[in-house]
Structure formats: structure tokens, C-alpha cells
Amino acid sequence: MHTASDSGGRHLRWPTRGISFGGDYNPEQWPEEIWQRDVELMREACVDFATVGVFSWARLQPTPDTWDFGWLDRVLDLLHDGGVRVDLATATASPPPWLTAAHPEVRPVDERGYRYEIGSRQTWSPSSPIYRDHSLVLVEKMATRYGGHPALALWHVSNELGCHNSRCYSPDSARAFRRWLQRRYGDLTELNRAWGTTFWSQHYSDWNEVVPPAASTTFGNPTHLLDWRRFCSDALLDQYLAEREVLRRITPDIPVTTNFMVGMGSPQSLAGDMNYTQWAPEQDLVSTDHYLVGPATGDGAAHHRLSFSADLTRGIAGSRPWLLMEHSTSAVNWQPVNRAKAPGEMLRNSLAHVARGADGIAFFQFRASDAGAEKFHSALVPHAGTDSARWREVVQLGAVLRRLEPVAGSRVEAPVGVLFDWESQWACEQDGHPSRLMQPMAIAERAHHAFSGVTCDVIPADADLSRYAVVVVPAVYLCSDEDAARIEAATRAGAQVLVTAFSGIADRDDHIRLGGYPGAFRDLLGVRTEEFFPLGADETVALDDGTAARIWTEYLTVSEDVDVLARHTEGHLQGVPALTRRPVGDGAAWYLATVPDTQGWARIAETICAAAGLDLHAGQNSDVEIVRRRGENGSWLFVLNHTPEKVTVEVSGTDLVTERVVDGPLTLAPGSCAVIREDSADTGARTRKADA
Ligand code: GLA
Ligand code: GLA
């Protein structure tokens, strides 16, 4: 059976047959006459999945004592008659104006003490008991009323929890933070130790002295700041768990999810404020939203970031199928300049997510709004209506996804595990570090890109490493003894383990591991660094293998059993090793003491893949994406041509995009893609430029 989850022994059904297709549906923005037409259009496009009610609280409960469910009853009935399965929101994402008018303290407070006004969305503090009580009353009403509705396939708790309200410094939050710290540390002695409060006269002698790290004179206490980030993530997770508890009590057989924003970051943080590694195990199915950011091609291209986010989503989902809850058919409305997607780009983006394990492709939103803050955001039905190229592409996408039904439930093959640790990223976003340019998520993305020719899982630092031929530890700055021991064990067992600079520097309290860097991996790698020499943003240092070292260098000495593969050729580090390898058990531990340029990364990936016996798909590091999914029913090779040129791939099977049989060279037009149902799963793909 295609199940939503096999974690925790719960086997809940996936919301639809095969690959789900649809999006947010907000019929309350439109007169009822349009609803029937909407459902007809959904059928035309093979839409079988709709998220309903996300921002409906004020419509469902217009005053504290009145409820209006009639319209939503009719919407669910219509969708059910049209064969559309419903992902029903708990509708708690945005409180109605009457709630904040009666209880202004529900609104979140920023780090300078300003309490946000209403008029936008998500104006609630994650730690407000009043918000919590009112939201749970609504959830109970929703679950009781719709729990038995035949359209109901999935619960959608809130929406993008923490999208705008993740850091609240209100008095409610201060109280909740202290309770959280009391649970973590038990007593103040332990908190004072963990936070190193002897520094700068910060010793606490009463719990009421402990406050959220709001704006202050200069740099804050690093462990205080890190605990605050942990707390903010937990406070939002707690809202999810409270809603889920109500839903599970009333509808134990309906799966529950909340849509993550994996890889989307926030204005203050590259990785965002929610540690999804901890949230994912609480989901019956993991769902996430993804919007393109970055250039169309070249380094850091938007589709590279998409593939990193998708691989990270699969990593936190424990390799189980996940659902893309939102992306855009075309332009968004929230970047400074919002361009429409090129012809074919929407299909390519969608298939990239499926290639990387998504069993559902949904969008924000079904019908483009004519009013409101997102009226310029694209949709399945654009302002231009159905006589449009966009709608025709939507219909085509629906048909392609229908043909991919047998792919549902299959798994992505990934022999490389790239670690990503939210807390390390949070710690490196603080002031007071050797270099602000050293950002673990950015390093993880570069490593992921370098190894994209063999496909990577992006996985938590405590994941099972035993199935990977190659493990990359990219600037995992905070490292527990247990995680370090598992990384060492994976090396002994035969993995090629690449540790990059600024990994294993501190423990989980953010205390430096003494005796020379990198404390957690010094013995494994056979290296010892006394001091760091970070580089300026535009500075590079040449290595003797042709690599340009960027961002970071360090003064490194190596033990006798270490091979030096590259050295600095200039500056005060001339002759000092920059890339090393030490044989360990059946594997090897590699140390990369810098951040290489693109060619340098490619060279390292090639060398390590050769050592691991992995064959890089030809075309790696170009803009041609090749990923295989394999299941009980067969295997499928996804080939996506992001380049403006034709490319030719050697494949054997049936292309489910064009429904053509191919045996041998398949030429893909610029920007087009193929999903090959393979005749033989052992067929490797070989890519070359068509004219080469
Ligand atoms: C987020 C939200 C949606 C919508 C889109 C616009 O993902 O969940 O409600 O605002 O952004 O891109
Ligand atoms: C499995 C099959 C799919 C589809 C789903 C339905 O995953 O491979 O073709 O039938 O079950 O849940």
C-alpha cells in the first residue's frame, strides 16, 4: 500500500492515488457561481488534491460566539463530487480581528519591543495562551464537523508555521522561555555553566532575571542566543503538537501534516527558524513549500537550490515520499522583481521535485486572486483565464503526473549523504565568529552540487550513515561526541568521509573543543589546526592542484599517516596542506581546510567518487539533472535539461512525458525533460551536448 508514513507504526493512506496534483483552493474569495466551474476546471486538469480553509478563520467564526460553516460544507461537497481529495486546514494560521481587538497581547513583539499591528497575517505570538485556547476551540470544531466528510484526506495544521512570527519577545514568550530553560537545565547552576555566564558578568541568581535575547548593547551570549533559537522552534512545534492532539483524538485515521518551508530561509536566517529535523518525525507525511530564488543558470542557480531543498526534505523525511504543498505555476509577488516562468519551466520544476521523492505536486493557488496582498501571484487559473498558455501547461502537467502514477511510493537512489545541521547554521549566524562568510548551509549546498552527478541525500547529523558510500560533513560546527563517533564508525566501515573546515569546533553547548581544531575530528583526520586565516569576500589563494581557495584557510599540520593532496602555493600559508586524506579502517577520512571554487569542488567530488567506486553521471555540474527513482514496480530515470541548448542522453525505455519508446540516444530540447520508465534498471545515463 502507498502509505503516508511508516514512522511510529502508523500506516495512514496517502491522500490520493499515485502522485497528488492540485493546490491551495480559496473559494471564499469568489462568488459561489464560480465554484462549480472551478471543479470542472480541476477535472479538466486532472487536479485531485486541494488545500482548503487556510486563511478562513474570520469567515468561519465571524464573532466570538457565531460560527458559519455552511459555505465550507458546500465547498467540500462540491470537491468530493468532483473527485478531489481535500487537505483541510485547521484555519488557525491568521487570527480574526475580533480576537486581537479583545486581546492585544496575542500579537507578537519584535526584538525592540514593538508589538506588531494587525492588517497582515499570522499576527500571533507562538507562546500566547489566549491564542492557543482560541485556536484549539477552532480545531475541535473543524475536526468534529468534517472528520467524517468523505472528501477529507489530510489535515493541514495552521500554515507555514513561523513564516512571519517565529521570534516573539513578548512577556508571554519570556515566561515560556524560562519554563523551557527550566526543563532543559533543571537548575540555574547548570544554566550558568552551559551559558558560560562568568564571561561579561552575566551570572544569573534568580530565574526571573533570565530574559529573551532582545536588542542589547552589543554581541549577546552565544549559548543564550542558541537556546533562544531552539526555544522559538519548539514553541511553534508545540502549537503544531497541540493541534495534532485534538485532530488525532477526533479523527485518528486521518493523516496530519503542516507545510514546512525547507530551504526557503527567512530575512534573518539562511536556514529559517524552524529545526525541521525535529519537526519531521511528528508528521504523518512531510510536506513542504518551495519557491525559486536565484538566477536561472550558473552557480547557485535557482534549480540547484530547488534540488538541495528537495533532497533535504527527503533527508528529514527519512527517505519516505513527501509532498510538495506549494510552489508557483509562474511568478510570485514577493520578490523585488517577479518574472513569469518560461515555457516548460513549471513542468521542469515539478518533475525535479518528483525526481527527488515528492509524491505530490501542489501550488499556491488554484485561481489567481483579484484582490488582496497576493493578487499578482500566479495560479493554476491565471488572471487571463483558461485561454492562456499557462492554463494549457497546467493541463499538460496534470496529464504527465497521471502517467507517473506507478512512480508513487518508489525511492530515490542516493549513495552520498551530505550532513546538514540546523543548530550549526544558527550558531554560525551569530556575531563574534572568525568569519561571517562561513555559513554551513551555503557550504552544504556547494558540496551537494559537487556530488549532484551521483545524487545526494541531505541528512541530519544523527542520521544512519551505514548506507552511504560517501559522507560529507560540511561545516558541521557543533558536534556531539555521539555524532563524531558515528562519523568515525562510518569511516572505519568503509565510507569515504569528507570533513570540511569549521566542522566539529564546538560541543552542543557551543563551547570550544580544546587542544587544536577541529576538536571532534582531529584524531580521525590526523590533522591539527592552531589558527584560522579566513579570506575576504573577493580574496582567493591558489592551491597547487589548480583550485582557488575562497572564504577560509587555516594553518594546519598533519600526522605521518596522512596524504597531502593539495597545498597552498602563496601567501603566509605557502606549503601548508589544504586537502588531506587518511586511510581509516575500510574507508578514508578526507579533510578540506578551505572552501574551493566550483572547479575545485568538482575535482574533489570526482576523486572521492573514484575512491568510493561511484560512477558520476556524465553531465554532472552542468545544468542537466539526472536522478533515478526505483520501486517494486520498476525504475524511472528523470532527465531535466535546464540549459538553453539541446542535450542528448543514452537511455532505454519509455518516456512518460512524450509517451515515446526510446532505445539509444534521446535528444532533449532546451528546457525540456523526460521521465524514462526503464527497460533495464542497470542502464546508466550518458549525457552529451547534442552537437558535440
Ligand atoms: C506562502 C504561503 C501562501 C502564499 C505563498 C505565496 O507559501 O503559504 O499562503 O502566501 O507563500 O508565495
Ligand atoms: C502504490 C502504487 C501506485 C498507486 C498507489 C496508490 O504506490 O505504486 O501506482 O497505486 O500505490 O496508493
Side-chain angles (χ1 to χ4, degrees), residues 79-237:
L79 290 169
H80 180 63
D81 292 345
V84 178
R85 309 283 290 143
V86 170
D87 167 41
L88 187 57
T90 56
T92 57
S94 254
W98 59 257
L99 179 62
T100 40
H103 304 283
E105 68 273 32
V106 162
R107 292 182 275 133
V109 172
D110 78 1
E111 61 169 0
R112 296 197 166 265
Y114 171 75
R115 197 180 279 282
Y116 285 110
E117 248 319 334
I118 62 159
S120 186
R121 65 175 177 182
Q122 275 148 319
T123 45
W124 52 274
S125 163
S127 299
S128 162
I130 292 174
Y131 168 81
R132 175 69 58 89
D133 290 349
H134 281 82
S135 66
L136 295 187
V137 169
L138 174 61
V139 177
E140 175 119 17
K141 285 267 187 196
M142 295 291 282
T144 313
R145 188 162 188 106
Y146 297 111
H149 198 287
L152 179 66
L154 179 65
W155 284 115
H156 184 106
V157 168
S158 193
N159 191 64
E160 292 191 337
L161 277 159
C163 186
H164 311 290
N165 58 348
S166 57
R167 301 183 193 181
C168 168
Y169 299 80
S170 70
D172 281 340
S173 297
R175 279 186 287 274
F177 183 43
R178 280 193 285 270
R179 284 194 300 273
W180 184 94
L181 291 167
Q182 281 161 351
R183 281 196 301 278
R184 184 175 178 91
Y185 294 115
D187 58 36
L188 277 177
T189 309
E190 184 54 16
L191 178 141
N192 280 306
R193 182 207 59 78
W195 287 15
T197 55
T198 46
F199 196 79
W200 281 359
S201 183
Q202 292 173 348
H203 182 89
Y204 295 99
S205 50
D206 187 294
W207 280 104
N208 288 319
E209 295 163 6
V210 181
V211 291
S216 189
T217 44
T218 181
F219 301 164
N221 175 308
T223 317
H224 183 186
L225 291 166
L226 184 60
D227 274 346
W228 173 248
R229 302 287 296 269
R230 290 168 169 147
F231 159 76
C232 289
S233 176
D234 282 358
L236 286 155
L237 176 58

Side-chain angles (χ1 to χ4, degrees), residues 354-371:
V354 178
R356 293 173 190 278
D359 275 3
I361 296 297
F363 293 86
F364 179 83
Q365 63 177 330
F366 183 71
R367 183 181 280 282
S369 306
D370 65 351

Side-chain angles (χ1 to χ4, degrees), residues 2 18 405-406 408-409 633:
H2 186 200
E405 185 178 317
N633 313 334

Side-chain angles (χ1 to χ4, degrees), residues 343-460:
E345 195 174 357
M346 175 183 71
L347 175 68
R348 212 163 65 238
N349 297 155
S350 300
L351 291 181
H353 287 288
V354 178
R356 293 173 190 278
D359 275 3
I361 296 297
F363 293 86
F364 179 83
Q365 63 177 330
F366 183 71
R367 183 181 280 282
S369 306
D370 65 351
E374 294 180 325
K375 62 182 183 298
F376 284 113
H377 197 289
S378 60
L380 278 79
V381 182
H383 287 157
T386 52
D387 183 11
S388 59
R390 184 56 54 205
W391 176 251
R392 286 185 283 277
E393 284 200 32
V394 164
V395 173
Q396 181 210 7
L397 172 61
V400 170
L401 293 177
R402 248 306 142 88
R403 292 199 284 277
L404 297 189
E405 185 178 317
V407 177
S410 64
R411 300 294 171 102
V412 177
E413 287 186 349
V416 177
V418 175
L419 303 191
F420 175 68
D421 175 53
W422 253 272
E423 294 192 355
S424 289
Q425 175 59 34
W426 290 346
C428 291
E429 287 171 2
Q430 294 184 13
D431 294 314
H433 270 221
S435 169
R436 286 183 188 210
L437 300 177
M438 192 46 128
Q439 297 291 314
M441 193 172 213
I443 312 280
E445 275 196 39
R446 302 305 296 244
H448 171 268
H449 184 51
F451 285 93
S452 61
V454 283
T455 310
C456 307
D457 283 344
V458 184
I459 47 173

